[in-house]
Amino acid sequence: MSNKEENESAEVYQTESRVDQPVAPAAAPKKRGCLGHLKRFWWAYLLVLICIVVLVVCLVIFVGVPKIAQQKVNDAKLEIQGVNVINTKPDSITLQINSTITTDGSIKANIDGFDGVMYLEDLPGQTPFLNISFPKTNGDKHQLVNISQDITIGDHDAFNTFNIWFAANETLNVTVYGRTKVKPSGLSTKFGVTFKKTINMKGLNLFNGTTVDGGKINISPKKGQPNFKATADIPNASYFTLDIGNATFTNFIDNTNIGNLTIPNLLLVPGSNKVPITANLDQISVLQAVQSAKYCKTGIIPVKLRGSAVVKDGQTLQYFLDGLSANNETVPMDIGSIIKNSLGTTISCPKSS
């Protein structure tokens, strides 16, 4: 055999030997090494766990709890049973509010008293017309919230505007707004929340439904005395009691001024208000109107009234005057019956009618 063949045979043998040689298995993981690492650095893992727990607790307390508290305040229902506006003066009033707050009672908490504002929700700009202090409350299911405080009128224009809206509208939306703090039971931290409630309340609706009964005409009154007296029944659909004072109205028949009517010491309460009224009327203009073809058949004339003065203790209450003078109130008056009962004369229509 030649040297070349011997070398090739040796290479084949070596290659086959390398292929057939068994491969050693991979080394098994060292479990003891992990346990040893854990035993050695257990304090580091504990610190990480504590940090995670603290972070979660902080997130719950400082993020979750305030959101829950705000949601509970949002869900609370504010209802007003009565409002008294008394001791009325040009620059101040005494405001008394009887109200209730209803919650689901699921969270026990104390709510701090706070200074809030009231404004017309539907008026652009939402300028506050009154500032009011609210007492401390809590998270009970049902609680009474009664307020009585003397309030200085800070923004006369805004308060006058409120009275105009209140006198003219059947309903209006008034928002109560303020910032306060809530302290849930079991926690030492107080959380800031916003108190905002919009209340749909009834207004005076221009005293719609007012009637006049028992009218008496005096054709020859003494100097300085009224020539007309009657009793008016003025409805107040709202839950407001208003200490208005002496209210004077200018009266019109078909845009003709027929004189002034006065309601003395008017204290308007919810429901029916039967009050004495006196007037100095242009009797000739009234007689001509009731004899006209337009009114002679029924004798009933729609008399328009517009506030011209509101005086209490010798001072003008501009906010009430603005409310009563911004719009006309129309009151149907049976002038024909009043003339018949007072003078014994029946008004008939002209023959040409």
Side-chain angles (χ1 to χ4, degrees):
M1 182 180 297
S2 65
N3 292 334
K4 183 178 180 181
E5 290 176 350
E6 289 178 356
N7 291 336
E8 290 177 354
S9 177
E11 289 177 0
V12 170
Y13 175 78
Q14 290 175 357
T15 301
E16 290 177 352
S17 298
R18 285 196 297 269
V19 171
D20 294 339
Q21 185 176 359
V23 179
K30 297 180 179 180
K31 295 183 179 180
R32 291 185 178 181
C34 294
L35 293 175
H37 179 79
L38 182 61
K39 288 181 179 180
R40 184 178 179 184
F41 296 102
W42 64 268
W43 53 271
Y45 289 105
L46 180 60
L47 286 176
V48 171
L49 179 61
I50 291 174
C51 290
I52 292 174
V53 171
V54 170
L55 178 61
V56 171
V57 171
C58 288
L59 288 174
V60 170
I61 292 178
F62 294 104
V63 178
V65 173
K67 287 185 177 180
I68 294 173
Q70 182 64 67
Q71 188 60 50
K72 293 301 180 182
V73 172
N74 293 344
D75 293 341
K77 186 177 182 181
L78 173 65
E79 293 182 301
I80 296 179
Q81 284 73 45
V83 177
N84 299 331
V85 181
I86 57 176
N87 297 329
T88 47
K89 299 176 183 179
D91 298 317
S92 66
I93 60 172
T94 296
L95 183 66
Q96 298 174 337
I97 300 177
N98 298 325
S99 64
T100 56
I101 294 180
T102 305
T103 71
D104 61 10
S106 61
I107 293 182
K108 301 299 181 182
N110 292 320
I111 304 173
D112 288 351
F114 64 96
D115 292 329
V117 297
M118 302 175 71
Y119 58 81
L120 290 167
E121 177 66 25
D122 300 322
L123 181 66
Q126 298 180 333
T127 303
F129 59 82
L130 280 182
N131 296 333
I132 185 170
S133 296
F134 290 86
K136 295 180 180 180
T137 55
N138 54 54
D140 291 349
K141 283 188 175 182
H142 184 82
Q143 55 188 303
L144 299 177
V145 181
N146 295 328
I147 298 170
S148 180
Q149 56 192 261
D150 296 328
I151 296 178
T152 299
I153 301 169
D155 190 327
H156 284 270
D157 289 339
F159 192 52
N160 295 352
T161 299
F162 164 74
N163 279 275
I164 292 172
W165 280 48
F166 181 69
N169 289 286
E170 183 176 359
T171 62
L172 63 161
N173 294 316
V174 174
T175 295
V176 179
Y177 175 87
R179 290 282 301 171
T180 185
K181 290 186 177 181
V182 174
K183 181 182 176 298
S185 179
L187 296 178
S188 60
T189 304
K190 292 183 178 181
F191 303 98
V193 294
T194 297
F195 184 92
K196 182 181 179 182
K197 300 295 177 185
T198 298
I199 305 161
N200 181 260
M201 60 176 60
K202 291 185 177 181
L204 298 179
N205 196 25
L206 295 176
F207 302 115
N208 186 37
T210 296
T211 59
V212 175
D213 297 310
K216 296 292 183 181
I217 295 174
N218 186 347
I219 59 174
S220 56
K222 294 181 179 180
K223 186 177 181 179
Q225 295 297 311
N227 60 15
F228 177 79
K229 294 182 179 180
T231 298
D233 189 352
I234 305 173
N236 175 8
S238 77
Y239 41 60
F240 277 68
T241 294
L242 303 173
D243 186 5
I244 295 176
N246 299 322
T248 300
F249 299 82
T250 301
N251 302 335
F252 300 88
I253 295 178
D254 294 336
N255 298 321
T256 298
N257 188 334
I258 61 168
N260 294 325
L261 177 150
T262 299
I263 306 175
N265 302 316
L266 177 58
L267 179 66
L268 196 69
V269 300
S272 174
N273 292 264
K274 292 186 177 181
V275 296
I277 61 174
T278 60
N280 285 301
L281 302 177
D282 182 343
Q283 294 179 339
I284 294 177
S285 295
V286 173
L287 185 59
Q288 289 175 344
V290 77
Q291 287 179 321
S292 68
K294 190 175 182 179
Y295 302 118
C296 65
K297 291 182 180 180
T298 64
I300 299 174
I301 299 178
V303 179
K304 295 180 180 179
L305 289 79
R306 182 184 290 267
S308 56
V310 176
V311 178
K312 185 170 181 286
D313 298 328
Q315 296 179 304
T316 295
L317 301 183
Q318 192 64 45
Y319 43 88
F320 284 148
L321 177 56
D322 281 8
L324 297 177
S325 64
N327 299 280
N328 288 328
E329 172 200 354
T330 301
V331 178
M333 297 181 66
D334 192 348
I335 302 296
S337 295
I338 291 173
I339 292 175
K340 181 178 181 180
N341 294 333
S342 300
L343 307 177
T345 300
T346 300
I347 301 299
S348 58
C349 292
K351 293 182 180 180
S352 58
S353 300

